[in-house]
Amino acid sequence: MAASKLDPIDRMILAELQADGRMTNVELAKRVGISAPPCLRRVRTLEEAGYIRGYHAEVDARALGFEVQVFANVGLVSQAEADLSAFEARCREWPLVRECHMLNGEVDFILKCVAPDLSTFQTFLTEELTAADNVASVKTSLVIRDAKHEPGVPFDVLEARMTAQA
């Protein structure tokens, strides 16, 4: 189901759940203006179609003792598909790597990493990341503070786009 196939109620359901995935189906139905049974059916359909990939608690990394957040720009020796896939698989095995994105441009990947302290990250950097097969270069940037954190998508932009296409 492409975004253009979603009706306004489906988009409202997605926006509401993105903002608060813990609300009850009854509350969700009230917010989007339909009764609870069809709302639940719509949510299940959105889950089955892959629009909703899961429900997660957003935990405070610093409160849990992960004081260090680092972005690592990684360049590989080879960009052959097998080598790219192998590096992605290796990233999935490293617990300190929380996100891995393949890029187009000067670097091949950007990794978002967390660690309890700088020493732990330095050990990971020198013994794991830079030592990994096919890694040619790593440049890191230590996060000082988060200025914005909004997961998901901007539904107001989607609504404006859908209105313009209509």
Side-chain angles (χ1 to χ4, degrees), residues 3 5-15 32 42 155 159 162:
K5 303 275 188 202
L6 296 174
D7 68 18
I9 293 174
D10 288 333
R11 294 191 302 272
M12 284 192 299
I13 288 170
L14 291 171
V32 301
R42 283 174 176 263
F155 276 94
E159 285 304 315
M162 300 307 285

Side-chain angles (χ1 to χ4, degrees), residues 72-76 78-89 91-92 97 99-112 134:
N73 294 304
V74 179
L76 301 181
S78 166
Q79 290 76 30
E81 186 57 39
D83 295 322
L84 296 169
S85 294
F87 182 75
E88 290 168 341
C91 285
R92 286 190 285 275
V97 175
E99 296 179 27
C100 171
H101 305 274
M102 186 168 65
L103 304 177
N104 178 14
E106 291 183 34
V107 297
D108 297 307
F109 288 91
I110 188 166
L111 310 180
K112 179 181 174 183
N134 198 34

Side-chain angles (χ1 to χ4, degrees), residues 2 21 31-33 35 38 53-54 56 60 70 79 89 93 96 99 101 104 107 118 127 135 144 151 161 163 165:
R31 289 188 189 187
V32 301
S35 64
R53 296 190 310 191
H56 311 279
D60 185 333
V70 177
Q79 290 76 30
E93 296 172 1
L96 297 184
E99 296 179 27
H101 305 274
N104 178 14
V107 297
L118 203 49
E127 295 178 12
V135 171
I144 303 301
R161 190 168 158 236
T163 302
Q165 291 176 354

